[in-house]
Amino acid sequence: ICAAAGTPVQLSSSIDGLTHGIYITAKDSNTYFIGVSSGVTSSTGFTVKANEPAFLPIKDGSAVYVVTASGVDKAISWIAY
């Protein structure tokens, strides 16, 4: 997905096959913030950086939101497990 600068973006409205959680990683050198509400910010979110993937042990991928504090929109990668 493309994380919007300053605006939280939902990871996905539905994720088929999600049984254990989601791995998320940055595709570039920017920092991303992950949360379980549309109100996630750089102050309240979990930090994810390139080459430092995060695992979220959740069963509902639609609850995950991503935001970046940088001035431009950036992409992240994720895998449902």
Side-chain angles (χ1 to χ4, degrees):
I1 70 164
C2 187
T7 304
V9 175
Q10 187 178 33
L11 185 66
S12 178
S13 60
S14 67
I15 299 175
D16 294 332
L18 179 61
T19 57
H20 300 287
I22 299 172
Y23 283 98
I24 298 176
T25 189
K27 293 178 71 174
D28 53 40
S29 62
N30 286 313
T31 301
Y32 300 85
F33 305 95
I34 312 299
V36 291
S37 81
S38 60
V40 64
T41 67
S42 59
S43 299
T44 62
F46 180 81
T47 303
V48 174
K49 297 179 180 180
N51 300 318
E52 296 179 17
F55 179 72
L56 302 173
I58 62 170
K59 303 254 181 183
D60 181 6
S62 68
V64 179
Y65 286 80
V66 181
V67 68
T68 181
S70 66
V72 296
D73 296 352
K74 297 293 181 181
I76 65 165
S77 297
W78 58 273
I79 298 172
Y81 172 67

